[in-house]
Amino acid sequence: MNLSIAMSVAPLLAAFISLGSRNALFTRAVVPSLFFLQIGLIAYICIPVLNGTATDLIFSEDFSIDRIGAYFLLLTNFVVACAMSHAFAFFERESALGRLDDPNHERIFYASTALFLLAMSFVFICDNLGFLWVSIEATTLFSAALVYFSRDKHALEATWKYLIVCSVGIAFALLGTVLIFASSQHGAVPDGSLNIRVLIAHANMLQPKLLQLGYIFCLLGYGTKAGVAPLHSWLPDAHSEAPAPASAMLSGALLNCALYAIWRVTELMNLTPHHTLSTSLPIIWGAITALVASLVLVHQSGIKRLWAYSSIENVGIMLVAIGMSSPLLFFLQALNHSVAKVCLFLISGNIIQTTGTKELAHIHGVLKTSPVWGILFAIAALAVTGAPPFGAFICEWMILSKGADAHSWIAVIMLIIALTLSFIAVSVHVGKILLGTPKQSMIAPRSFGTSFIPFVLCVCALLLGVTFVPSLLVNPL
Amino acid sequence: MNASNPEIYVIAAAIVATLMPGSLHIRVNLWFYGIVTFLVAIATALTAIGHAEFGLLGVALLIAVLKAVGIPLSLLWTSGRLNVSRDKGCFLPAPLAMHSSILLLGASFFLTKDLPLPVVENGGGGWLGAAAGISLIFTGLILMLTRRLAISQILGFLIIENGIFVFALTQTRGMPLFVEMGVMLDVLVGVMIGGVLIFKIQKSFEHIDVAQLTDLRD
């Protein structure tokens, strides 16, 4: 059986179960279990590339996966499985609070999540720029249903902006894809090709003008989807209005997909004689994004908007790593960011459910209300800002030193300012959230379910910092 | 140039599209959109016949049926149900928007004339097709920038998508059919979701003026 079809079975089954089952508890339990099974299946399929016996695993002409792709695929599935496991407790509490008036909304949420995961998985196994575009656009369409979950005015506004801004942005990536296809018809492949392996094999013969234009449009298009400044307007709205598990998936998985698409075109550009464009442009743009996001972080009023801007800052850092042609640093930064950010979004969801507000001005004393949430929140916030001993610290240090080695001083200075500012801003905001006296008489539920997944993620973040990341840097992929 | 040259039709499409920013009437713009897309479908069919690519003929048929007729009719029905017939416009007055669009049509010729000519065996596609494609993209952007209603925003997006399709049609030969079908499916689903959201916006806000959706700000 074609392996790409094998990978689709669990998400499709999850979508059918979500739509067909009348028992919400059953869906809440079975869907994440299927996602965890999917992680096992992917790990099993990808063993040859993960242990290094093969450089890539070819499923069919237009579908294959390499080691970085396999790691990203596992990370994406892990993020979705964790977020949906936490969703059990989240929806139980929503139901107890009387906010789940229509069971169909939850069914659509679960089914869309499964299809969203399927679309995201295809991003990592597509070896064809055309299918890559289709997969990225499909992630927008399926995740729009997640953002619209609460059906109120704000969710509607966020969904509309998300759909329109991302669709127009992605349309430019389509134009870029067409230009790259046209560039291949000028001598390299007379019939033209969108297959990345074929394009890489003929990288020297691609028509330079069309290729460069194509690269710029792809960067613009996928950059919009990744939330690169100033094309990020949809991101804070969508992240803050979606329910917490969806915000976690948008930030921890979807942004990586868009950045991975940028990496695929950058990988191609790097092999052509015009690689100055694919190194200088992402580095400068990434550094500007990180700086802009960290400046906006200072004046945030919403708890989830705070993490959304922190995600934009990390997208900037990852874009710099892509520009440095370092897939390892790109993946490690994405891994550390995803693990910590998912944890932060999930605990923020718990806090919002308990306090009934997203406004930072009204959230204080979480450490008093729920010491477990408070400690986990502090750990994850430290991890996301890149404080030692967490993995992000090592990655950001490596990115800065690589930038200094390449004499990209402007980008390095901008990144240092951005990292410092975001560390201060996040510390101040988190300090206010954790300390002080709770304004409202908020009683946190003493439920194991609301803290278990964040606890697991915090342990992962710590282990990444003290074991995995240092060992990977000693023995690179 | 003879009537079987696809470039004539795509340039005609680009010219008709430049008139769209000049009208604030939803019904008129939907008619214009239908004509533009139908011209694109004719150009696609002629290219398919010229290159003996029968898969592309199927794409031309789908464009004519689904995009040139289906989408305008469904948006017309939507505007009828929601009782909206006129966009207020924003940022630029309609005549100025139309003239900007015409100027950008001219600019597209300058922008694309230095592009490498497409490698096409059976004649056809030159830089005029590229200019028409880029002009359609500009017109779509102008429409999105200068309109307030959600329906007009969707129309602007569809014109941009038409422009990209025209560019691909005239500047490349034989884009894989699966990719084209995938792109069309995505666009159709996107428009459907957009259509559903328009009804929800009307229900929640009692208008579909997206320029007024400004609650979520930093």
Side-chain angles (χ1 to χ4, degrees):
Chain A
M1 188 166 64
N2 189 320
L3 293 176
S4 52
I5 297 173
M7 278 193 208
S8 316
V9 173
L12 285 177
L13 190 63
F16 280 122
I17 290 173
S18 315
L19 287 175
S21 165
R22 301 274 143 194
N23 186 343
L25 284 179
F26 176 74
T27 310
R28 287 176 202 164
V30 167
V31 169
S33 317
L34 279 171
F35 292 162
F36 275 110
L37 276 177
Q38 174 81 342
I39 297 177
L41 177 76
I42 290 169
Y44 176 72
I45 290 175
C46 296
I47 283 173
V49 282
L50 291 173
N51 65 15
T53 50
T55 49
D56 22 29
L57 203 63
I58 296 170
F59 302 151
S60 66
E61 194 189 338
D62 287 318
F63 296 97
S64 73
I65 196 162
D66 60 4
R67 193 188 270 198
I68 285 291
Y71 276 115
F72 267 110
L73 187 59
L74 285 171
L75 173 63
T76 302
N77 277 271
F78 177 70
V79 164
V80 174
C82 284
M84 293 315 285
S85 303
H86 185 85
F88 192 105
F90 179 85
F91 284 119
E92 211 170 38
R93 184 115 174 91
E94 285 287 290
S95 177
L97 292 167
R99 292 189 198 139
L100 282 181
D101 36 358
D102 188 346
N104 279 332
H105 295 175
E106 196 184 333
R107 266 185 225 132
I108 294 171
F109 181 88
Y110 271 87
S112 305
T113 303
L115 296 173
F116 177 45
L117 174 64
L118 185 63
M120 287 196 291
S121 301
F122 267 85
V123 169
F124 302 110
I125 62 170
C126 279
D127 223 356
N128 179 306
L129 289 175
F131 290 133
L132 182 69
W133 184 89
V134 172
S135 310
I136 295 266
E137 174 67 9
T139 60
T140 310
L141 300 178
F142 292 127
S143 52
L146 308 187
V147 179
Y148 186 51
F149 175 75
S150 62
R151 266 64 174 179
D152 58 13
K153 282 185 172 187
H154 286 167
L156 195 54
E157 184 180 335
T159 312
W160 178 260
K161 282 185 188 168
Y162 174 49
L163 199 67
I164 286 291
V165 174
C166 283
S167 296
V168 174
I170 289 288
F172 284 107
L174 179 62
L175 181 63
T177 305
V178 170
L179 282 160
I180 293 176
F181 181 74
S183 80
S184 72
Q185 291 191 319
H186 288 262
V189 193
D191 284 337
S193 180
L194 282 171
N195 188 300
I196 299 174
R197 265 177 295 136
V198 174
L199 290 171
I200 285 177
H202 297 89
N204 277 327
M205 294 159 73
L206 300 173
Q207 212 289 330
K209 196 179 254 178
L210 293 173
L211 181 66
Q212 288 176 28
L213 270 176
Y215 177 72
I216 292 171
F217 277 112
C218 281
L219 195 59
L220 196 69
Y222 295 131
T224 308
K225 182 84 186 175
V228 177
L231 309 165
H232 64 276
S233 62
W234 66 271
L235 196 147
D237 296 350
H239 282 53
S240 79
E241 294 313 314
S247 312
M249 289 186 278
L250 290 177
S251 181
L254 180 66
L255 300 183
N256 295 346
C257 291
L259 286 164
Y260 187 77
I262 295 179
W263 163 245
R264 293 313 299 266
V265 276
T266 305
E267 191 184 15
L268 168 67
M269 269 304 274
N270 283 343
L271 295 168
T272 68
H274 321 284
H275 52 80
T276 343
L277 187 70
S278 58
T279 47
S280 53
L281 200 57
I283 291 180
I284 289 294
W285 204 1
I288 292 174
T289 300
L291 188 59
V292 169
S294 59
L295 285 169
V296 186
L297 260 179
V298 178
H299 286 292
Q300 273 317 303
S301 54
I303 183 166
K304 287 212 279 183
R305 291 184 84 84
L306 178 75
W307 302 129
Y309 276 103
S310 157
S311 297
I312 299 175
E313 185 223 347
N314 275 280
V315 162
I317 299 168
M318 286 181 244
L319 198 58
V320 172
I322 290 174
M324 288 169 172
S325 314
S326 174
L328 176 66
L329 286 177
F330 164 41
F331 169 69
L332 292 180
Q333 183 66 25
L335 174 68
N336 288 302
H337 168 248
S338 294
V339 169
K341 194 52 69 64
V342 169
C343 179
L344 283 170
F345 270 117
L346 295 181
I347 301 178
S348 300
N350 293 347
I351 294 172
I352 292 168
Q353 276 183 328
T354 310
T355 57
T357 177
K358 290 174 191 165
E359 294 299 314
L360 282 171
H362 299 126
I363 305 173
H364 300 292
V366 170
L367 215 47
K368 268 188 194 156
T369 324
S370 171
V372 178
W373 292 356
I375 292 166
L376 294 175
F377 198 67
I379 293 174
L382 277 175
V384 98
T385 50
F390 297 97
F393 172 74
I394 305 170
C395 288
E396 284 159 11
W397 181 262
M398 294 292 290
I399 290 170
L400 288 174
S401 64
K402 215 169 155 71
D405 287 345
H407 302 292
S408 310
W409 295 113
I410 299 176
V412 169
I413 291 168
M414 280 201 283
L415 273 186
I416 291 174
I417 297 173
L419 288 169
T420 317
L421 258 180
S422 68
F423 181 80
I424 296 170
V426 167
S427 307
V428 170
H429 287 304
V430 169
K432 284 181 185 168
I433 292 170
L434 295 180
L435 307 172
T437 319
K439 271 196 177 175
Q440 292 152 2
S441 52
M442 63 177 220
I443 302 156
R446 294 193 181 279
S447 151
F448 171 71
T450 55
S451 319
F452 179 67
I453 293 290
F455 171 75
V456 170
L457 289 167
C458 277
V459 172
C460 287
L462 205 57
L463 286 177
L464 280 175
V466 293
T467 61
F468 185 64
V469 176
S471 73
L472 267 185
L473 290 170
V474 175
N475 300 307
L477 294 172
Chain B
M1 268 194 186
N2 58 38
S4 64
N5 189 339
E7 282 194 325
I8 295 178
Y9 297 93
V10 291
I11 289 177
I15 294 169
V16 175
T18 55
L19 303 176
M20 289 176 74
S23 167
L24 292 173
H25 291 277
I26 300 285
R27 185 181 280 267
V28 174
N29 273 342
L30 285 170
W31 266 101
F32 276 141
Y33 170 72
I35 295 168
V36 167
T37 313
F38 196 72
L39 287 168
V40 173
I42 295 175
T44 313
L46 289 174
T47 311
I49 294 165
H51 296 159
E53 283 179 23
F54 296 104
L56 197 58
L57 210 56
V59 173
L61 193 70
L62 280 178
I63 293 175
V65 175
L66 291 177
K67 284 172 68 187
V69 179
I71 289 180
L73 278 182
S74 71
L75 289 179
L76 208 60
W77 177 78
T78 307
S79 70
R81 279 285 302 267
L82 302 179
N83 214 8
V84 281
S85 57
R86 211 179 138 82
D87 199 306
K88 275 188 211 148
C90 64
F91 188 53
L92 277 181
L96 209 56
M98 185 178 77
H99 285 102
S100 318
S101 191
I102 293 170
L103 274 178
L104 286 169
L105 170 69
S108 313
F109 284 89
F110 285 102
L111 283 173
T112 51
K113 78 175 177 359
D114 290 333
L115 276 185
L117 278 177
V119 186
V120 181
E121 285 159 24
N122 303 329
W127 61 273
L128 291 175
I134 300 293
S135 164
L136 280 168
I137 295 173
F138 278 139
T139 305
L141 285 174
I142 293 250
L143 211 56
M144 289 193 87
L145 281 174
T146 60
R147 294 293 182 268
R148 302 175 71 113
L149 294 188
I151 291 183
S152 309
Q153 298 278 320
I154 288 186
L155 262 184
F157 170 67
L158 286 167
I159 291 285
I160 293 177
E161 196 270 331
N162 264 347
I164 295 168
F165 181 80
V166 164
F167 191 89
L169 182 75
T170 55
Q171 301 305 296
T172 65
R173 164 105 197 271
M175 274 277 278
L177 203 64
F178 273 120
V179 174
E180 282 184 25
M181 299 303 245
V183 169
M184 191 181 284
L185 184 74
D186 270 346
V187 169
L188 286 177
V189 174
V191 170
M192 265 169 54
I193 296 177
V196 171
L197 281 181
I198 289 177
F199 277 104
K200 303 283 183 192
I201 292 174
Q202 170 76 20
K203 204 173 154 191
S204 298
F205 293 89
E206 294 175 351
H207 62 74
I208 55 166
D209 184 348
V210 287
Q212 284 183 40
L213 300 185
T214 52
D215 276 0
L216 300 175
R217 288 251 167 110
D218 288 316

